[in-house]
Amino acid sequence: MSFIKKINSIVLALSLTTVAILTPTAAAYAEERGEVSKLAKKSQQVELTEEEAVTEEEAATEEEALSEEEAEQPELRAVGVIVRILIRGSIMYWKYKKYEEKFESVSESFVKKAVEKVYEADLKPRDYDRWDDVKEDTDLDSTRLASGKYIYLEFGDPDTYGLTHILARHHPKYWTNDGGHNSDDTLSMFDPDTEIKEIETIVHKIVNYSTSKVDNKEEMLKNYNNDDRIAYVGYHKDKEYKLIVSGNKVITLYPYGWNEVE
């Protein structure tokens, strides 16, 4: 055998030996890489699962927090949502979904004192009688119709007319449960968070309400000397109200077609 052939044989043998040695190592490496890849995928899946669990937990916690906040602020839920209002004895129940709020009836003197406190800065000595009570015909607010003609909101009486009657009959916080009803409409209630002074604003809105077909102010001027009780409808904050006027005095005011007592 020639020298060159011997060299080629030796190189070939060495190559075959190298391949034999490296083959299991390469296979092991490939297998290891495959296992690493599988582990990486599993790790990624675990991380995603944990992240989803955290997200779901946070969402549940946030929802629970909102529910607790709603429970602490039932009056806010009453605004603009459908409620059920029930009267059982001397208790008025406001039900919002699974929540319930109770209002216990109050005395007429409580209503009178509440109105007096709100308006005490504007009341004059002549507005009190000899027993130191505010007179029924005391003007608390007025809405102008024309020169020298106004619609007056008087202190009134819880049983008959005026601001005290509006509250005693149609406000859950000042409800007296007198059992009387001066209208054919279903008994309805203001939202519990309606302020006493806001009644003035609602009266103003209804007196000045007009459309292409209705002009309340014009109709009130026509009926200014009419002592009959006449109803006028208008809106405040996109909610409908009915105002009952006799001559130039407000008799009552209440939500019309919503917050009705069952």
Side-chain angles (χ1 to χ4, degrees), residues 123-160:
L123 295 173
K124 306 293 189 295
R126 66 173 181 271
D127 296 325
Y128 292 87
D129 59 23
R130 59 180 178 175
W131 296 282
D132 226 16
D133 294 325
V134 180
K135 296 177 182 177
E136 292 183 10
D137 60 354
T138 298
D139 296 330
L140 301 178
D141 188 55
S142 61
T143 308
R144 185 178 184 275
L145 297 179
S147 178
K149 292 187 176 182
Y150 296 84
I151 294 295
Y152 293 96
L153 177 63
E154 296 183 351
F155 185 84
D157 179 87
D159 291 328
T160 55

Short mmCIF file of all heavy atoms in Angstrom, two decimals, residues 123-160:
data_model
loop_
_atom_site.label_atom_id
_atom_site.label_comp_id
_atom_site.label_asym_id
_atom_site.label_seq_id
_atom_site.Cartn_x
_atom_site.Cartn_y
_atom_site.Cartn_z
N LEU A 123 -86.87 84.08 57.99
CA LEU A 123 -88.13 84.29 58.71
C LEU A 123 -88.09 85.56 59.56
O LEU A 123 -87.06 85.89 60.17
CB LEU A 123 -88.44 83.08 59.59
CG LEU A 123 -88.72 81.76 58.85
CD1 LEU A 123 -88.84 80.61 59.84
CD2 LEU A 123 -89.98 81.88 58.00
N LYS A 124 -89.20 86.27 59.58
CA LYS A 124 -89.32 87.50 60.36
C LYS A 124 -90.22 87.24 61.58
O LYS A 124 -90.98 86.27 61.62
CB LYS A 124 -89.94 88.60 59.50
CG LYS A 124 -89.22 88.84 58.20
CD LYS A 124 -87.82 89.42 58.44
CE LYS A 124 -87.18 89.86 57.14
NZ LYS A 124 -86.91 88.74 56.22
N PRO A 125 -90.16 88.13 62.59
CA PRO A 125 -91.04 87.97 63.78
C PRO A 125 -92.51 87.84 63.41
O PRO A 125 -93.26 87.10 64.06
CB PRO A 125 -90.76 89.24 64.59
CG PRO A 125 -89.36 89.59 64.22
CD PRO A 125 -89.23 89.25 62.75
N ARG A 126 -92.95 88.55 62.37
CA ARG A 126 -94.36 88.48 61.96
C ARG A 126 -94.76 87.11 61.40
O ARG A 126 -95.95 86.82 61.25
CB ARG A 126 -94.65 89.56 60.91
CG ARG A 126 -93.93 89.36 59.59
CD ARG A 126 -94.38 90.36 58.54
NE ARG A 126 -93.72 90.17 57.26
CZ ARG A 126 -92.56 90.74 56.93
NH1 ARG A 126 -91.96 91.56 57.79
NH2 ARG A 126 -92.01 90.52 55.74
N ASP A 127 -93.76 86.29 61.08
CA ASP A 127 -94.03 84.97 60.51
C ASP A 127 -94.36 83.92 61.58
O ASP A 127 -94.68 82.77 61.25
CB ASP A 127 -92.83 84.47 59.69
CG ASP A 127 -92.56 85.37 58.48
OD1 ASP A 127 -93.54 85.87 57.90
OD2 ASP A 127 -91.38 85.56 58.13
N TYR A 128 -94.28 84.33 62.85
CA TYR A 128 -94.56 83.41 63.96
C TYR A 128 -95.87 83.77 64.65
O TYR A 128 -96.21 84.96 64.76
CB TYR A 128 -93.42 83.45 64.99
CG TYR A 128 -92.12 82.87 64.47
CD1 TYR A 128 -91.21 83.66 63.79
CD2 TYR A 128 -91.80 81.53 64.68
CE1 TYR A 128 -90.02 83.14 63.31
CE2 TYR A 128 -90.60 81.00 64.22
CZ TYR A 128 -89.72 81.81 63.53
OH TYR A 128 -88.54 81.29 63.05
N ASP A 129 -96.58 82.76 65.12
CA ASP A 129 -97.81 83.02 65.87
C ASP A 129 -97.48 83.17 67.36
O ASP A 129 -96.31 83.14 67.76
CB ASP A 129 -98.85 81.92 65.63
CG ASP A 129 -98.35 80.54 66.05
OD1 ASP A 129 -97.43 80.46 66.89
OD2 ASP A 129 -98.88 79.53 65.54
N ARG A 130 -98.50 83.30 68.19
CA ARG A 130 -98.27 83.56 69.62
C ARG A 130 -97.68 82.35 70.35
O ARG A 130 -97.20 82.47 71.47
CB ARG A 130 -99.56 84.00 70.29
CG ARG A 130 -100.70 83.00 70.18
CD ARG A 130 -101.93 83.55 70.87
NE ARG A 130 -103.07 82.64 70.74
CZ ARG A 130 -104.24 82.85 71.35
NH1 ARG A 130 -104.40 83.92 72.13
NH2 ARG A 130 -105.23 82.01 71.18
N TRP A 131 -97.77 81.17 69.71
CA TRP A 131 -97.17 79.96 70.30
C TRP A 131 -95.75 79.71 69.78
O TRP A 131 -95.16 78.70 70.01
CB TRP A 131 -98.04 78.74 70.00
CG TRP A 131 -99.38 78.83 70.64
CD1 TRP A 131 -99.69 78.61 71.95
CD2 TRP A 131 -100.60 79.20 70.01
NE1 TRP A 131 -101.03 78.81 72.19
CE2 TRP A 131 -101.62 79.17 71.00
CE3 TRP A 131 -100.96 79.55 68.71
CZ2 TRP A 131 -102.94 79.48 70.71
CZ3 TRP A 131 -102.28 79.85 68.42
CH2 TRP A 131 -103.25 79.82 69.42
N ASP A 132 -95.27 80.71 69.03
CA ASP A 132 -93.92 80.66 68.47
C ASP A 132 -93.77 79.60 67.38
O ASP A 132 -92.67 79.09 67.14
CB ASP A 132 -92.88 80.40 69.58
CG ASP A 132 -91.69 81.34 69.46
OD1 ASP A 132 -91.82 82.35 68.74
OD2 ASP A 132 -90.65 81.06 70.06
N ASP A 133 -94.86 79.28 66.71
CA ASP A 133 -94.82 78.39 65.56
C ASP A 133 -94.91 79.21 64.28
O ASP A 133 -95.55 80.27 64.25
CB ASP A 133 -96.00 77.41 65.59
CG ASP A 133 -95.91 76.45 66.78
OD1 ASP A 133 -94.78 76.07 67.13
OD2 ASP A 133 -96.97 76.08 67.34
N VAL A 134 -94.28 78.71 63.22
CA VAL A 134 -94.35 79.42 61.94
C VAL A 134 -95.77 79.36 61.41
O VAL A 134 -96.41 78.30 61.40
CB VAL A 134 -93.37 78.80 60.92
CG1 VAL A 134 -93.45 79.55 59.59
CG2 VAL A 134 -91.95 78.82 61.46
N LYS A 135 -96.28 80.49 60.95
CA LYS A 135 -97.64 80.54 60.41
C LYS A 135 -97.73 79.78 59.09
O LYS A 135 -96.79 79.77 58.29
CB LYS A 135 -98.06 82.00 60.19
CG LYS A 135 -98.16 82.83 61.46
CD LYS A 135 -98.51 84.27 61.12
CE LYS A 135 -98.58 85.15 62.38
NZ LYS A 135 -98.86 86.57 62.04
N GLU A 136 -98.89 79.18 58.87
CA GLU A 136 -99.09 78.40 57.66
C GLU A 136 -98.93 79.24 56.39
O GLU A 136 -98.37 78.77 55.39
CB GLU A 136 -100.51 77.78 57.66
CG GLU A 136 -100.70 76.71 58.70
CD GLU A 136 -102.08 76.08 58.61
OE1 GLU A 136 -102.80 76.36 57.62
OE2 GLU A 136 -102.46 75.33 59.54
N ASP A 137 -99.42 80.49 56.40
CA ASP A 137 -99.42 81.31 55.19
C ASP A 137 -98.11 82.09 54.99
O ASP A 137 -98.06 83.03 54.18
CB ASP A 137 -100.61 82.28 55.18
CG ASP A 137 -100.59 83.24 56.37
OD1 ASP A 137 -99.71 83.09 57.25
OD2 ASP A 137 -101.45 84.14 56.44
N THR A 138 -97.06 81.69 55.69
CA THR A 138 -95.75 82.35 55.52
C THR A 138 -95.17 81.97 54.15
O THR A 138 -95.03 80.79 53.82
CB THR A 138 -94.77 81.92 56.62
OG1 THR A 138 -95.29 82.33 57.89
CG2 THR A 138 -93.40 82.53 56.40
N ASP A 139 -94.85 82.99 53.35
CA ASP A 139 -94.27 82.75 52.02
C ASP A 139 -92.79 82.38 52.17
O ASP A 139 -92.00 83.16 52.70
CB ASP A 139 -94.40 83.99 51.14
CG ASP A 139 -95.85 84.35 50.85
OD1 ASP A 139 -96.67 83.41 50.80
OD2 ASP A 139 -96.15 85.55 50.67
N LEU A 140 -92.43 81.21 51.69
CA LEU A 140 -91.04 80.77 51.73
C LEU A 140 -90.31 81.04 50.43
O LEU A 140 -89.10 81.26 50.40
CB LEU A 140 -90.98 79.28 52.06
CG LEU A 140 -91.61 78.86 53.40
CD1 LEU A 140 -91.51 77.35 53.57
CD2 LEU A 140 -90.93 79.57 54.57
N ASP A 141 -91.07 81.02 49.33
CA ASP A 141 -90.47 81.24 48.01
C ASP A 141 -91.58 81.64 47.04
O ASP A 141 -92.77 81.37 47.29
CB ASP A 141 -89.77 79.97 47.53
CG ASP A 141 -88.98 80.21 46.26
OD1 ASP A 141 -88.11 81.12 46.26
OD2 ASP A 141 -89.21 79.49 45.27
N SER A 142 -91.18 82.27 45.94
CA SER A 142 -92.17 82.66 44.94
C SER A 142 -91.56 82.56 43.54
O SER A 142 -90.35 82.70 43.36
CB SER A 142 -92.67 84.08 45.20
OG SER A 142 -91.58 85.00 45.11
N THR A 143 -92.42 82.34 42.56
CA THR A 143 -92.00 82.27 41.16
C THR A 143 -92.83 83.28 40.37
O THR A 143 -94.06 83.25 40.40
CB THR A 143 -92.23 80.86 40.58
OG1 THR A 143 -91.62 79.89 41.42
CG2 THR A 143 -91.63 80.75 39.18
N ARG A 144 -92.18 84.16 39.66
CA ARG A 144 -92.87 85.24 38.94
C ARG A 144 -93.58 84.73 37.69
O ARG A 144 -93.01 83.99 36.89
CB ARG A 144 -91.87 86.32 38.57
CG ARG A 144 -92.47 87.56 37.93
CD ARG A 144 -91.39 88.59 37.63
NE ARG A 144 -91.93 89.83 37.10
CZ ARG A 144 -92.21 90.05 35.81
NH1 ARG A 144 -91.98 89.07 34.93
NH2 ARG A 144 -92.69 91.21 35.41
N LEU A 145 -94.83 85.14 37.54
CA LEU A 145 -95.58 84.84 36.32
C LEU A 145 -95.62 86.05 35.40
O LEU A 145 -95.43 85.95 34.19
CB LEU A 145 -97.02 84.45 36.67
CG LEU A 145 -97.23 83.18 37.50
CD1 LEU A 145 -98.72 82.97 37.76
CD2 LEU A 145 -96.65 81.98 36.79
N ALA A 146 -95.89 87.21 35.99
CA ALA A 146 -95.96 88.48 35.26
C ALA A 146 -95.83 89.60 36.28
O ALA A 146 -95.65 89.34 37.47
CB ALA A 146 -97.28 88.59 34.50
N SER A 147 -95.93 90.81 35.84
CA SER A 147 -95.80 91.95 36.74
C SER A 147 -96.85 91.86 37.86
O SER A 147 -98.05 91.88 37.61
CB SER A 147 -95.97 93.25 35.97
OG SER A 147 -95.88 94.36 36.84
N GLY A 148 -96.36 91.75 39.10
CA GLY A 148 -97.25 91.71 40.25
C GLY A 148 -97.95 90.39 40.47
O GLY A 148 -98.77 90.27 41.39
N LYS A 149 -97.64 89.38 39.69
CA LYS A 149 -98.31 88.08 39.84
C LYS A 149 -97.26 86.98 40.04
O LYS A 149 -96.36 86.82 39.21
CB LYS A 149 -99.18 87.78 38.63
CG LYS A 149 -100.39 88.71 38.53
CD LYS A 149 -101.32 88.29 37.42
CE LYS A 149 -102.56 89.19 37.41
NZ LYS A 149 -103.54 88.78 36.36
N TYR A 150 -97.44 86.24 41.12
CA TYR A 150 -96.48 85.20 41.50
C TYR A 150 -97.20 83.93 41.93
O TYR A 150 -98.36 83.97 42.37
CB TYR A 150 -95.60 85.69 42.66
CG TYR A 150 -94.71 86.86 42.32
CD1 TYR A 150 -95.21 88.16 42.38
CD2 TYR A 150 -93.38 86.67 41.95
CE1 TYR A 150 -94.41 89.25 42.07
CE2 TYR A 150 -92.57 87.76 41.65
CZ TYR A 150 -93.09 89.04 41.70
OH TYR A 150 -92.28 90.11 41.39
N ILE A 151 -96.50 82.83 41.85
CA ILE A 151 -96.95 81.57 42.44
C ILE A 151 -96.15 81.40 43.73
O ILE A 151 -94.91 81.43 43.70
CB ILE A 151 -96.70 80.37 41.50
CG1 ILE A 151 -97.56 80.49 40.25
CG2 ILE A 151 -96.98 79.05 42.22
CD1 ILE A 151 -99.05 80.41 40.51
N TYR A 152 -96.86 81.23 44.85
CA TYR A 152 -96.19 81.21 46.15
C TYR A 152 -96.09 79.79 46.72
O TYR A 152 -97.06 79.02 46.68
CB TYR A 152 -96.95 82.10 47.14
CG TYR A 152 -96.90 83.57 46.79
CD1 TYR A 152 -97.95 84.16 46.09
CD2 TYR A 152 -95.81 84.35 47.15
CE1 TYR A 152 -97.91 85.52 45.75
CE2 TYR A 152 -95.75 85.70 46.82
CZ TYR A 152 -96.80 86.27 46.12
OH TYR A 152 -96.75 87.61 45.78
N LEU A 153 -94.92 79.51 47.26
CA LEU A 153 -94.71 78.28 48.02
C LEU A 153 -94.72 78.67 49.49
O LEU A 153 -93.78 79.30 49.99
CB LEU A 153 -93.37 77.63 47.64
CG LEU A 153 -92.99 76.37 48.42
CD1 LEU A 153 -93.99 75.25 48.17
CD2 LEU A 153 -91.58 75.92 48.05
N GLU A 154 -95.78 78.31 50.18
CA GLU A 154 -95.93 78.70 51.58
C GLU A 154 -95.49 77.59 52.52
O GLU A 154 -95.32 76.43 52.12
CB GLU A 154 -97.40 79.07 51.86
CG GLU A 154 -97.87 80.29 51.07
CD GLU A 154 -99.29 80.70 51.40
OE1 GLU A 154 -99.98 79.95 52.13
OE2 GLU A 154 -99.71 81.78 50.96
N PHE A 155 -95.32 77.96 53.78
CA PHE A 155 -94.95 77.00 54.82
C PHE A 155 -96.00 75.89 54.87
O PHE A 155 -95.68 74.70 54.91
CB PHE A 155 -94.84 77.71 56.17
CG PHE A 155 -94.35 76.85 57.29
CD1 PHE A 155 -92.99 76.66 57.50
CD2 PHE A 155 -95.25 76.23 58.16
CE1 PHE A 155 -92.53 75.86 58.54
CE2 PHE A 155 -94.81 75.43 59.20
CZ PHE A 155 -93.44 75.24 59.38
N GLY A 156 -97.27 76.29 54.88
CA GLY A 156 -98.37 75.35 54.79
C GLY A 156 -98.59 74.50 56.02
O GLY A 156 -98.17 74.83 57.14
N ASP A 157 -99.25 73.36 55.79
CA ASP A 157 -99.58 72.42 56.86
C ASP A 157 -99.32 71.00 56.36
O ASP A 157 -99.69 70.68 55.22
CB ASP A 157 -101.05 72.59 57.27
CG ASP A 157 -101.44 71.63 58.37
OD1 ASP A 157 -101.26 71.97 59.55
OD2 ASP A 157 -101.92 70.52 58.04
N PRO A 158 -98.73 70.15 57.16
CA PRO A 158 -98.41 68.79 56.71
C PRO A 158 -99.61 68.01 56.17
O PRO A 158 -99.47 67.14 55.30
CB PRO A 158 -97.84 68.12 57.96
CG PRO A 158 -97.24 69.25 58.74
CD PRO A 158 -98.18 70.40 58.51
N ASP A 159 -100.81 68.34 56.66
CA ASP A 159 -102.01 67.60 56.23
C ASP A 159 -102.65 68.14 54.95
O ASP A 159 -103.41 67.41 54.30
CB ASP A 159 -103.07 67.61 57.34
CG ASP A 159 -102.65 66.78 58.54
OD1 ASP A 159 -101.95 65.77 58.34
OD2 ASP A 159 -103.01 67.16 59.67
N THR A 160 -102.38 69.39 54.62
CA THR A 160 -103.19 70.00 53.56
C THR A 160 -102.44 70.59 52.37
O THR A 160 -102.76 70.28 51.21
CB THR A 160 -104.08 71.10 54.17
OG1 THR A 160 -103.24 72.03 54.88
CG2 THR A 160 -105.11 70.51 55.12
#
